[in-house]
Amino acid sequence: MSARRRTLLKVIVLGDSGVGKTSLMNQYVHKKFSQQYKATIGADFVTKELQIDDKLVTLQIWDTAGQERFQSLGVAFYRGADCCVLVYDVNVMKSFDTLDNWHDEFIKQANPPDIKTFPFILLGNKIDIDGGNSRVVSEKKAKDWCSMKGNIPYFETSAKEDINVDAAFLCIAKAALENE
Ligand code: GDP
Ligand code: MG
């Protein structure tokens, strides 16, 4: 067997505190969900190995450790990002309204070489809550925002029920790989 080089892809996850960023990562990487809210502690990132076509890829997924409240994420957090995942909670309007800020903040801090082609992905999380009856952001509204920002791919997810989590991260990995 030939030793194939692994490609390391850095993905950063942004969005308001409480939207489910850490839960989505835990569901994707560890297949676990916790109802308890605990501030993210410990490692700055988690990794997941996957194969895309004939390429072995290591996704390095960077999470915020609660600093998103104060918007004081350091330079190292953004440096060398290959893809930016924006997350909001479909049941919380404010988390959708602040997406513009997160998008701008990423561009400002990461300073990607080509803003127009840099891969962003939007996730509308917690679609499981109340069977969808408590959602305040429609799929159309979210998709309109994505078109406005240059056709950002959009997934509706539930970290709790494991809905669309693998699909979303596969899209993220592919987008990061294309950008690499
Ligand atoms: P973060 O601050 O963005 O990292 O958010 P967390 O991942 O810590 O999640 C905040 C709270 O929302 C926790 O209590 C989670 O259990 C809960 N949560 C996260 N994702 C979901 C989801 O998809 N559905 C439901 N019902 N709760 C979720
Ligand atoms: Mg968190």
Side-chain angles (χ1 to χ4, degrees):
M1 204 181 97
S2 66
R4 280 175 296 182
R5 206 168 60 85
R6 248 174 232 285
T7 307
L8 181 69
L9 300 172
K10 178 173 176 178
V11 172
I12 73 166
V13 185
L14 293 174
D16 281 3
S17 182
V19 296
K21 300 181 298 297
T22 304
S23 300
L24 284 162
M25 292 169 53
N26 279 339
Q27 182 59 263
Y28 179 59
V29 175
H30 305 298
K31 290 282 154 228
K32 265 193 235 156
F33 176 79
S34 165
Q35 199 75 246
Q36 270 171 304
Y37 185 91
K38 32 181 187 253
T40 311
I41 40 161
D44 290 323
F45 58 80
V46 292
T47 60
K48 168 105 171 173
E49 321 255 286
L50 69 162
Q51 187 164 351
I52 297 173
D53 302 325
D54 61 348
K55 272 213 162 155
L56 288 173
V57 161
T58 301
L59 270 193
Q60 191 183 68
I61 311 167
W62 287 61
D63 193 10
T64 54
Q67 310 100 314
E68 67 268 39
R69 291 165 203 264
F70 319 109
Q71 306 222 345
S72 63
L73 299 158
V75 182
F77 183 78
Y78 293 96
R79 189 183 295 132
D82 296 300
C83 179
C84 175
V85 182
L86 299 170
V87 186
Y88 78 99
D89 176 344
V90 300
N91 308 284
V92 179
M93 188 55 82
K94 188 177 171 291
S95 72
F96 180 77
D97 290 337
T98 53
L99 287 174
D100 273 322
N101 300 342
W102 288 116
H103 188 265
D104 291 353
E105 183 71 6
F106 176 83
I107 290 168
K108 194 175 122 200
Q109 300 291 343
N111 196 16
D114 188 350
I115 296 167
K116 283 207 179 68
T117 60
F118 187 87
F120 287 92
I121 308 270
L122 179 65
L123 308 184
N125 191 40
K126 306 199 190 183
I127 59 165
D128 62 281
I129 290 183
D130 204 11
N133 287 318
S134 65
R135 71 181 289 163
V136 292
V137 181
S138 67
E139 192 171 354
K140 178 171 186 309
K141 194 172 160 130
K143 285 184 170 167
D144 285 349
W145 187 86
C146 288
S147 321
M148 201 175 72
K149 295 290 173 188
N151 291 320
I152 295 178
Y154 177 58
F155 291 85
E156 302 219 311
T157 59
S158 165
K160 185 180 181 187
E161 310 277 325
D162 196 10
I163 299 168
N164 257 340
V165 177
D166 282 355
F169 277 96
L170 182 60
C171 176
I172 289 158
K174 285 182 173 169
L177 188 60
E178 271 177 38
N179 183 52
E180 205 250 343

